[in-house]
Amino acid sequence: MCGIIAFKSLNGLDVNEIIVKGLKRLEYRGYDSFGFAYPSGSEVEIMKKVGKIGDFSSEPVIAKIAIGHTRWATHGKVSEANAHPHLSQNNKVVVVHNGIIENFQELKDFLVKKGYAFRSETDTEVIPQYMQFFMDSGKDFKEACRLAFNKIEGSFAVVAMNNNELVGARNGSPLVLGVDEKNKNYFLASDVPAFLEFTNKVIYIDDGEMAVLKENSSPKTSPKAEFFDYAAGSPVKKQIVEIKWNIEQAEKGDYEHFMMKEIDEQKFTIKAAVQQDKNLIQKITDEINNAFGVFFIGAGTSYHACLAASYLFSHIAKRHINVVLASEFPNYEEFLTEKTLVFAVSQSGETADLLEAIKSAKRKGAKIVSIVNVMGSTLTRLSDYNIMMNAGPEICVLSTKSYTSQLAIITMLAYSCAGKLEEGKQIISKAAKFVPEIIDDNKKNLKELAMRLKDRHDIFLIGRNSDFPTALEGALKIKEVSYIHAEGFAGGELKHGTIALIEEGTPAIIISDSRTRKQTLSNAMEIKARGGFIIGVDSENNEIFDYFIKVPEAGAANSILMIIPIQILAYYLAVLRNCDPDKPRNLAKSVTVK
Ligand code: G6P
């Protein structure tokens, strides 16, 4: 939530090229307003705007230091005054922030009493004001920042600028430093794609740490980066990590939207997901087999992958696993012991609800395995084992390719627990080969179907067994991106109430396969008998279906494939209803607040 990008450069960089472009790359984190700032003579030039950054561009301006932010509002309405950056009273300290300052009211009351006037309704503004407060009492900028970071409570990533100095700190929200040694530039950002075009060398800033970027005494060398534990004030040694992602993966290329690009990428990502170190998978398999209580937890789409895990482990590995929503997991703390194994499933590795859940599990001594896409994310650093999804950056706010990668990994793990890892990998790789035909053969059909459904108010989806999580995930995709009300049900459940909503022409998507077909189609008949318009997603057509979407049978890997046509349908519904598929209203890709 909220995106930060800032730079410090020896020779100067174009603000438009780095900050504005970087904000466009971070827009998936929040897009209700944006702003940036850079020094201009002895003043600070500030630009703020409400709305998406879209095709905004500014005149080229070369600066040696600059700071930018794209906002997902928490404290204070969406307005120019509340957009970041925020300034200290004397306009000298400029701050952008991601997260929530829980004690901001107390800090604000103190500062107001001291005569500091506030210009916004945000929690953020207390940060530059506090920095000025400490500078007014004689501290230098670095020390003023350090003291301010110790004052604020809550989760945050903060970057502050004063003259030629940039200071960043994190506590619970992501912040990463990009190092372009050749051109002597540093970048501070919420996520790597913001600066990936310029460097793939990064330093992950950990919770409780701050980075200080300042001028070197010799003008010929690069600006200096130093790291400190901001509570103790002591220096910290950091390591440069090389990221494997490339900039093409983070760009739209010939596609109109990231959503369709990422749906298409499933042609490769499902296979890439099961290319894992055998020793790692064996160790995790042993952990599962020796655990007393295995939990799968996640939020949103990742939760649906966890739900699918319960069916996959039950059928393939004959192993019971527990599935809990990340936000509800702390309520299960009493059941956790040192023998509990928790799988944390997350694309971003930054979802606050999930991180909170993991922390509660760790307090009880449970071991954590993450299934995660973003290297260096907070989750990867809290986990005992990390299974990387290898899906490349997912930019569209909706999860598509990350869902099928999660399913592929979970299916593989279930096979591994059954002692059939190689067989499982083969089944998944075989299923992955069907992806091009599912996408290419169905696109036209699905666009036509979207034309028929685009003005409907409700769409229902049903499925049994592992098709049930697909129904839930399909409904989420449709809702998130097209704003049509959609609900997923287990096949047997609709008749227990919701069938009251079926009337002439109500669309119902029926997800079935060879294992579930008989029973699910009986449920489809119940809907059809009440006038429902039946859309079948199956490997076989059936006379019950008013519309048919073919997905080849892939046995235990079915759930990986079944969601793909529904992702495409959701995409076309959004496009036909003039909704932005990449940035649906009110949403953020990485939800870093509880
Ligand atoms: C947000 C996104 C969802 C995503 C969920 C979990 O709500 O809008 O698309 O599924 O977070 O994200 P994660 O990164 O933990 O998988």
Side-chain angles (χ1 to χ4, degrees):
M1 253 149 190
C2 297
I4 291 173
I5 168 82
F7 70 76
K8 170 100 183 96
S9 157
L10 177 68
N11 299 314
L13 290 167
D14 181 357
V15 173
N16 200 35
E17 189 59 20
I18 311 293
I19 301 291
V20 175
K21 223 166 155 188
L23 290 178
K24 287 180 185 174
R25 293 219 164 94
L26 289 172
E27 238 194 328
Y28 66 86
R29 302 182 64 85
Y31 32 85
D32 48 43
S33 53
F34 65 95
F36 55 88
Y38 53 89
S40 168
S42 60
E43 305 284 295
V44 175
E45 191 68 39
I46 295 237
M47 213 294 310
K48 292 187 188 193
K49 262 194 184 319
V50 166
K52 292 180 187 167
I53 196 162
D55 46 20
F56 172 89
S57 72
S58 74
E59 291 296 307
V61 191
I62 303 297
K64 290 191 168 181
I65 190 167
I67 191 167
H69 185 269
T70 179
R71 182 171 187 241
W72 189 90
T74 53
H75 282 79
K77 60 182 178 295
V78 178
S79 68
E80 239 169 62
N82 290 335
H84 299 215
H86 291 284
L87 296 169
S88 57
Q89 177 156 276
N90 63 5
N91 296 335
K92 299 283 182 218
V93 181
V94 188
V95 162
V96 291
H97 159 228
N98 164 209
I100 289 183
I101 307 302
E102 283 160 7
N103 60 338
F104 89 97
Q105 195 58 55
E106 183 191 312
L107 301 181
K108 189 169 176 175
D109 293 347
F110 171 84
L111 290 163
V112 169
K113 267 198 207 129
K114 293 272 173 199
Y116 290 82
F118 280 73
R119 293 175 262 205
S120 78
E121 304 155 339
T122 63
D123 52 344
T124 304
E125 203 182 345
V126 297
I127 308 172
Q129 298 279 44
Y130 240 108
M131 288 171 175
Q132 186 193 326
F133 168 75
F134 287 121
M135 288 171 88
D136 288 348
S137 59
K139 307 290 180 207
D140 65 13
F141 179 53
K142 178 195 140 200
E143 186 61 4
C145 289
R146 192 182 79 74
L147 293 171
F149 298 144
N150 282 297
K151 278 270 167 217
I152 55 182
E153 289 167 13
S155 73
F156 57 83
V158 172
V159 177
M161 178 175 87
N162 175 248
N163 294 325
N164 278 327
E165 231 172 300
L166 210 56
V167 175
R170 81 164 262 169
N171 181 42
S173 300
L175 191 65
V176 53
L177 182 87
V179 185
D180 174 4
E181 279 164 328
K182 196 169 138 232
N183 301 304
K184 306 198 184 312
N185 298 323
Y186 284 108
F187 307 91
L188 268 168
S190 304
D191 202 354
V192 175
F195 55 70
L196 190 58
E197 193 178 340
F198 308 100
T199 183
N200 65 346
K201 295 201 173 64
V202 307
I203 294 174
Y204 292 107
I205 296 162
D206 283 303
D207 282 351
E209 290 178 358
M210 63 191 252
V212 180
L213 306 179
K214 56 180 184 184
E215 300 289 288
N216 237 335
S217 37
S218 150
K220 292 249 154 43
T221 55
S222 53
K224 219 168 41 178
E226 293 174 326
F227 303 89
F228 300 89
D229 172 322
Y230 63 71
S234 50
V236 193
K237 274 216 159 109
K238 302 296 291 179
Q239 286 219 318
I240 294 186
V241 179
E242 221 174 288
I243 297 284
K244 292 203 184 87
W245 291 354
N246 60 50
I247 192 63
E248 288 74 38
Q249 290 175 303
E251 290 192 326
K252 270 193 282 204
D254 293 337
Y255 289 84
E256 208 171 324
H257 301 105
F258 278 109
M259 184 174 173
M260 191 45 98
K261 176 177 183 251
E262 289 162 5
I263 290 173
D264 260 352
E265 281 173 0
Q266 292 172 113
K267 290 170 185 168
F268 318 108
T269 50
I270 294 169
K271 214 165 161 212
V274 294
Q275 256 123 52
Q276 300 289 344
D277 173 3
K278 269 194 194 153
N279 289 333
L280 174 72
I281 299 303
Q282 191 50 53
K283 271 190 205 149
I284 294 170
T285 305
D286 294 343
E287 293 282 1
I288 300 174
N289 290 335
N290 295 329
F292 185 73
V294 177
F295 285 83
F296 273 72
I297 62 173
T301 291
S302 298
Y303 170 70
H304 294 150
C306 295
L307 215 52
S310 70
Y311 291 98
L312 294 165
F313 269 80
S314 157
H315 295 311
I316 301 167
K318 318 286 176 229
R319 181 83 165 85
H320 170 72
I321 59 142
N322 303 280
V323 177
V324 184
L325 279 166
S327 55
E328 289 297 316
F329 189 68
N331 300 317
Y332 288 76
E333 202 174 307
E334 293 311 320
F335 302 111
L336 309 181
T337 69
E338 285 169 5
K339 297 202 86 183
T340 310
L341 186 65
V342 179
F343 279 83
V345 182
S346 175
Q347 189 285 129
S348 63
E350 298 294 348
T351 300
D353 288 330
L354 186 71
L355 298 179
E356 194 62 22
I358 291 307
K359 284 175 193 159
S360 90
K362 282 176 83 87
R363 278 196 293 273
K364 290 288 190 162
K367 280 205 181 120
I368 315 294
V369 183
S370 71
I371 299 177
V372 61
N373 196 32
V374 179
M375 192 181 162
S377 55
T378 308
L379 180 60
T380 60
R381 276 163 307 145
L382 290 175
S383 304
D384 297 287
Y385 303 95
N386 291 306
I387 307 179
M388 300 310 297
M389 283 155 52
N390 304 331
E394 191 178 62
I395 310 284
C396 172
V397 167
L398 277 84
S399 297
T400 52
K401 61 175 178 174
S402 65
Y403 180 63
T404 49
S405 296
Q406 289 166 350
L407 291 178
I409 291 168
I410 289 166
T411 309
M412 177 185 70
L413 283 175
Y415 271 102
S416 182
C417 283
K420 300 178 188 165
L421 174 64
E422 285 313 314
E423 187 186 324
K425 281 170 84 167
Q426 271 172 26
I427 289 173
I428 297 160
S429 301
K430 204 171 147 209
K433 290 200 180 115
F434 290 131
V435 177
E437 86 180 61
I438 295 174
I439 297 180
D440 302 334
D441 295 359
N442 284 320
K443 262 188 188 165
K444 195 169 153 264
N445 246 353
L446 289 162
K447 196 169 183 182
E448 205 177 281
L449 179 62
M451 281 298 288
R452 292 178 75 148
L453 303 187
K454 74 178 175 46
D455 297 318
R456 302 299 311 192
H457 294 294
D458 309 287
I459 299 177
F460 293 97
L461 297 93
I462 63 165
R464 284 172 178 263
N465 199 322
S466 59
D467 297 331
F468 169 44
T470 309
L472 296 180
E473 173 59 10
L476 183 64
K477 290 295 85 108
I478 294 171
K479 272 187 283 205
E480 287 182 292
V481 76
S482 72
Y483 319 141
I484 296 176
H485 168 242
E487 262 189 280
F489 288 91
E493 201 52 27
L494 199 79
K495 60 180 178 292
H496 296 297
T498 311
I499 202 160
L501 298 178
I502 303 293
E503 49 191 39
E504 201 53 44
T506 305
I509 301 178
I510 314 298
I511 306 151
S512 51
D513 56 52
S514 57
R515 292 161 311 164
T516 61
R517 190 171 296 131
K518 219 166 145 199
Q519 281 186 309
T520 310
L521 293 197
S522 310
N523 303 126
M525 279 307 289
E526 294 156 8
I527 301 172
K528 196 168 174 109
R530 285 153 183 90
F533 176 71
I534 307 296
I535 301 145
V537 179
D538 197 325
S539 58
E540 279 181 13
N541 202 348
N542 191 288
E543 58 187 20
I544 303 174
F545 300 150
D546 297 306
Y547 211 94
F548 174 56
I549 310 292
K550 185 171 171 166
V551 178
E553 180 79 34
N558 261 347
S559 56
I560 305 171
L561 303 182
M562 294 303 236
I563 190 63
I564 297 173
I566 309 173
Q567 295 170 340
I568 301 172
L569 174 66
Y571 171 79
Y572 284 128
L573 284 171
V575 171
L576 292 169
R577 288 164 61 89
N578 290 322
C579 305
D580 181 346
D582 289 341
K583 298 179 209 87
R585 70 183 177 208
N586 305 339
L587 302 185
K589 184 153 190 71
S590 185
V591 182
T592 53
V593 291
K594 279 184 266 170

